[in-house]
Every structure is written in C-alpha cells, then in structure tokens.
C-alpha cells in the first residue's frame, strides 16, 4: 500500500467531491496510470480506428502560468493531456532544496481543472511509488557528458535524475508528444536526446520561456526571492537583451558600446 501525504489525500478528496478540479482523473500510482492509458487506446480504437494521441507535461508542481502555457500548447494537437506532479528526489543535490521545494497540490489541481485546458488526468505519485527503495536506488539513465557542463558541475547528479524520471514517466504514460519549457535549456537537450537515443517514440516539444511583465522568467522557485531580490532579478535578462541588441547591429561583439 502506498501511504499518501495529508495534502495529497485532501486534494484527491476535493477532486472527487465536485469542487474545482472534479473533472480530472487523479492517478496516484503506476498501476492507475497504466490502466488509464490503456483505456484511452481502447476507446480511441473503438471510436477513431487508431491509438489515442496523448500530450504530456511533466512538472514538479507549484504550477504557474508557464506550466499552464505548456498544457495549453498541446490542447489542439492531441486527444487528451496528462500532467504529472512529482518532486523528484533524484535530481536534487545534497545542498539543494528538496525539503523546502514548494508543494501546492490542492491549488495545482484547481488550476489544471479549468475546462479550457482540457486536462484529462493528473499523475501524482509518491517517492515510494517512483523509487521503491530510495536510497539506495540502483538503476539510472546517465546522459553522457551532461555533468561536464557548467550547470552539471554546479548540480552533481541533476541531469541523471532528470533523465531517469523522464524515462520512467515516458515508459508508463506512452505520450505522443511531451512539452517542456525552453527556460531549462540544457535539460531540454538532454530529454530530446534520450527520447531519440532510447527510441521512446515521443515527440519532445520545446516551448518559449514564459516571463513576468518585467522580463523575469517564470519559475516555482521565484517564491524564494525577497522583495529586494525580486526587484533586482530582471536585471540579468535586461543585460542579455542589451548585448543581443548591440551584437545585432553588427559591431564586433559590441566592443564600442560594452
């Protein structure tokens, strides 16, 4: 038996009670996900004479407009959309924020329950469901050379954790297309590569980064910023845009103006 957190249990009761999010199928474990996915294909073959086209958006929850834009981008391309919400321990280094990462399942389900998003189901597994023995867990997908990148050196094991959980999710959900945000650029490269190298049959769609009005990229971790940090945060994007503008004018790397 999988023991669920109080927040997960409350959110699931809310979906079953007719409150916002009630139209969603909440899938708590792999068995439920696989059974749901099989039913989609059976129903699609009966109705259309083909297998179901499934869109998939994997997330760690604490959803914002950027996540919802990924969901919306799949609405007219697929028959159904599946969203997963799972804070993946395998992609957190020891010095990172696994214990404090925002977990807002109830409000996430309410957002995904909006009718115009056309989300059919949400997969909400526990750590025990995804990693039966954690730690130790002995089988990983290891993207070669990813840890040699600047981000990989700063976050040891991150790309291995991402590649492993995405492979597990793709194998269970069998999506036709999966949407990711360009903000996590190297992660997008890793996911697209593994889908191709492992012949998973998933079209990995990369969507433009969604930003706040002042240019800050939307992120669940923006909630950590103090007022002063939030005010300063858009400066990096503004500086990059200025460099882009200068170089785009044909100057030799903008030396005269930089």
């Amino acid at each position: 038996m999988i023991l669920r957190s109080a927040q997960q249990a409350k959110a699931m009761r809310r979906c079953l009670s007719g409150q916002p999010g009630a139209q969603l199928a909440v899938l708590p474990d792999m068995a439920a996900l696989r059974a749901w996915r099989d039913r989609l294909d059976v129903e699609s073959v009966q109705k259309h004479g083909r297998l179901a086209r499934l869109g998939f958006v994997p997330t760690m929850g604490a959803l914002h407009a950027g996540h919802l834009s990924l969901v919306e981008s799949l609405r007219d391309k697929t028959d159904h959309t599946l969203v997963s919400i799972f804070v993946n321990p395998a992609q957190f280094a020891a010095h990172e924020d696994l214990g404090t990462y925002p977990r807002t399942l109830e409000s996430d389900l309410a957002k995904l329950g909006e009718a115009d998003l056309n989300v059919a189901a949400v997969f909400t597994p526990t750590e025990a469901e995804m990693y039966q023995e954690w730690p130790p867990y002995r089988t990983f997908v290891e993207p070669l050379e990813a840890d040699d990148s600047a981000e990989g050196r700063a976050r040891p094991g991150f790309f291995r954790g991402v590649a492993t959980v995405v492979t597990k999710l793709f194998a269970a959900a069998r999506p036709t297309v999966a949407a990711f945000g360009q903000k996590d650029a190297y992660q997008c490269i890793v996911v697209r590569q593994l889908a191709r190298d492992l012949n998973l049959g998933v079209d990995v769609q990369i969507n433009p980064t969604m930003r706040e009005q002042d240019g800050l990229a939307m992120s669940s971790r923006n909630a950590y910023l103090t007022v002063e940090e939030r005010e300063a945060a858009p400066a990096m994007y503004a500086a990059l845009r200025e460099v882009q503008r200068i170089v785009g004018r044909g100057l030799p790397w903008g030396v005269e103006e930089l």
Side-chain angles (χ1 to χ4, degrees):
M1 177 181 294
I2 301 296
L3 298 178
R4 310 196 65 78
S5 70
Q7 184 189 36
Q8 287 173 310
K10 181 179 179 182
M12 290 177 67
R13 288 196 299 272
R14 184 168 178 262
C15 280
L16 295 172
S17 70
Q19 298 179 51
Q23 68 268 38
L24 297 176
V26 179
L27 311 173
D29 52 43
M30 284 288 191
L33 172 59
R34 292 191 177 103
W36 176 83
R37 184 66 181 89
D38 288 344
R39 284 196 301 272
L40 292 187
D41 278 342
V42 170
E43 293 170 0
S44 183
V45 168
Q46 292 173 344
K47 186 175 181 179
H48 304 294
R50 59 166 174 76
L51 298 177
R53 292 189 293 260
L54 178 64
F56 179 44
V57 179
T59 81
M60 293 206 302
L63 302 183
H64 51 68
H67 295 111
L68 300 183
S69 74
L70 298 178
V71 175
E72 189 173 9
S73 74
L74 298 176
R75 182 177 52 196
D76 297 327
K77 298 178 180 179
T78 58
D79 303 319
H80 310 276
T81 301
L82 169 71
V83 176
S84 65
I85 296 175
F86 176 62
V87 180
N88 176 34
Q91 68 189 67
F92 286 78
H95 66 281
E96 293 188 310
D97 57 340
L98 175 61
T100 58
Y101 191 87
R103 290 164 171 82
T104 57
L105 182 60
E106 188 172 2
S107 63
D108 290 345
L109 291 175
K111 292 173 184 176
L112 294 172
E114 295 295 328
D116 59 346
L117 290 177
N118 197 34
V119 176
V122 185
F123 181 45
T124 62
T126 62
E127 287 186 19
E129 176 68 19
M130 293 297 289
Y131 301 101
Q132 289 75 16
E133 296 182 19
W134 177 268
Y137 185 79
R138 302 189 184 281
T139 305
F140 294 92
V141 177
E142 187 84 42
L144 296 180
E145 301 177 354
D147 279 351
D148 295 334
S149 67
E151 184 174 3
R153 289 193 297 271
R155 309 180 72 185
F158 170 73
F159 290 112
R160 183 181 75 168
V162 168
T164 299
V165 77
V166 169
T167 301
K168 289 164 72 77
L169 290 169
F170 281 4
R174 310 193 308 276
T176 308
V177 56
F180 293 80
Q182 193 178 34
K183 175 177 70 68
D184 302 306
Y186 204 104
Q187 176 178 295
C188 292
I189 294 171
V190 167
V191 171
R192 183 169 276 174
Q193 185 77 39
L194 77 85
R196 180 170 62 245
D197 289 352
L198 300 181
N199 303 110
L200 297 178
V202 181
D203 176 18
V204 177
Q205 172 183 297
I206 309 303
N207 288 25
T209 300
M210 292 291 289
R211 297 184 178 277
E212 306 289 354
Q213 289 187 347
D214 59 6
L216 178 64
M218 293 182 179
S219 170
S220 300
R221 286 186 168 100
N222 288 349
Y224 295 159
L225 299 175
T226 65
V227 173
E228 293 77 13
E229 290 169 340
R230 178 61 185 84
E231 290 176 354
M236 178 64 75
Y237 179 63
L240 291 172
R241 289 297 302 271
E242 181 64 9
V243 170
Q244 181 185 48
R245 182 189 68 82
I246 293 170
V247 174
R249 290 173 57 184
L251 300 176
W253 300 104
V255 172
E256 288 85 347
E257 292 191 41
L258 291 176

